[in-house]
Amino acid sequence: MSDEQLALLYLDGNNRAFDELLSRIKDKLFAYILFMVKDEELANDFFQETFVKAITKMHNGQYKVSGKFMFWISRIAHNVIIDHYRDLKSCHIVETPRDKDLQNLKVASVLEMDHERNMSNQQVLSDVRRLVNALPDNQREVVYMRYFEDMPFKDIAKVTGVSINTALGRMRYAINNLRRLSRQHHVNLTLE
């Protein structure tokens, strides 16, 4: 069954359908939230709040079957995060602590290769994480959604609440900034 079919079954009173839906999307949704806030405790709170809001919206008839339940709930999570930081009167969506980076993403298993190449590639991935973390928040978010969530720009635009041209522009600026930062810090970003 699709995520949408499970959501509709849940609305018809089938709680097991919701359990299945939750088990399917929880890791991906939590990874997105954790990437955005860089704090596991806060991410857990946002994760819970996202599901409470999603359930409420579903029961209030605000969920329309579109074939993209994950994007719908990601949009809710995005809004929960923005609302939190707006309430704190912060001008940034995300504050990136120095001691945390994209380590929570499972990119370490790039390919099976010999030990020397693996070590070299690990260093490149570590450098990429550092450079991505140095990007402005809105650019980092688009990079994450595009390269780590494999989302098309149309969906990135919907989730972030901007036009597709703005999403594309943010990606273009992010790539330009990554190139500039790699040159500035003499970082080689070539995987072997």
Side-chain angles (χ1 to χ4, degrees):
M1 281 192 200
S2 70
D3 293 345
E4 287 68 28
Q5 289 171 321
L6 289 171
L8 292 174
L9 281 175
Y10 168 67
L11 288 174
D12 286 339
N14 185 337
N15 288 332
R16 292 181 69 189
F18 182 78
D19 293 341
E20 172 66 25
L21 183 60
L22 176 62
S23 71
R24 279 187 191 181
I25 66 172
K26 67 180 179 182
D27 291 338
K28 194 172 187 179
L29 183 64
F30 185 78
Y32 168 71
I33 294 170
L34 185 59
F35 174 79
M36 293 305 297
V37 300
K38 306 291 187 220
D39 180 292
E40 192 167 350
E41 188 174 323
L42 193 56
N44 278 316
D45 292 343
F46 289 162
F47 181 80
Q48 296 296 326
E49 187 176 344
T50 297
F51 269 95
V52 168
K53 286 190 177 211
I55 290 168
T56 303
K57 286 178 181 288
M58 289 169 74
H59 284 289
N60 289 338
Q62 293 175 296
Y63 173 68
K64 305 291 183 236
V65 177
S66 65
K68 299 184 182 212
F69 183 82
M70 185 62 198
F71 298 127
W72 179 75
I73 201 161
S74 293
R75 178 66 181 175
I76 293 172
H78 176 83
N79 290 339
V80 165
I81 294 166
I82 288 175
D83 289 346
H84 171 77
Y85 286 104
R86 205 176 273 147
D87 289 345
L88 292 177
K89 305 237 188 288
S90 172
C91 62
H92 298 290
I93 295 172
V94 178
E95 293 195 22
T96 308
R98 294 272 180 220
D99 63 335
K100 299 199 178 185
D101 63 346
L102 298 177
Q103 294 288 31
N104 300 314
L105 298 173
K106 298 173 183 170
V107 296
S109 58
V110 176
L111 297 170
E112 288 297 317
M113 53 189 90
D114 68 321
H115 186 68
E116 187 176 315
R117 278 190 188 166
N118 191 28
M119 286 179 53
S120 174
N121 287 343
Q122 290 292 332
Q123 182 60 49
V124 170
L125 291 173
S126 176
D127 291 340
V128 168
R129 286 185 198 107
R130 283 187 300 118
L131 293 177
V132 169
N133 277 333
L135 291 173
D137 300 328
N138 58 6
Q139 292 174 23
R140 186 174 58 245
E141 181 179 37
V142 172
V143 168
Y144 174 81
M145 289 179 181
R146 182 70 184 124
Y147 291 108
F148 296 98
E149 293 291 324
D150 200 29
M151 290 173 67
F153 283 104
K154 178 180 164 189
D155 295 330
I156 292 171
K158 284 181 187 174
V159 169
T160 57
V162 298
S163 71
I164 192 165
N165 288 337
T166 300
L168 288 166
R170 287 178 180 175
M171 179 58 76
R172 183 172 48 98
Y173 286 123
I175 290 170
N176 288 340
N177 283 335
L178 288 171
R179 285 181 182 144
R180 180 183 50 77
L181 287 169
S182 67
R183 281 191 307 269
Q184 187 177 5
H185 297 287
H186 308 292
V187 175
N188 178 9
L189 299 179
T190 305
L191 289 175
E192 293 184 16

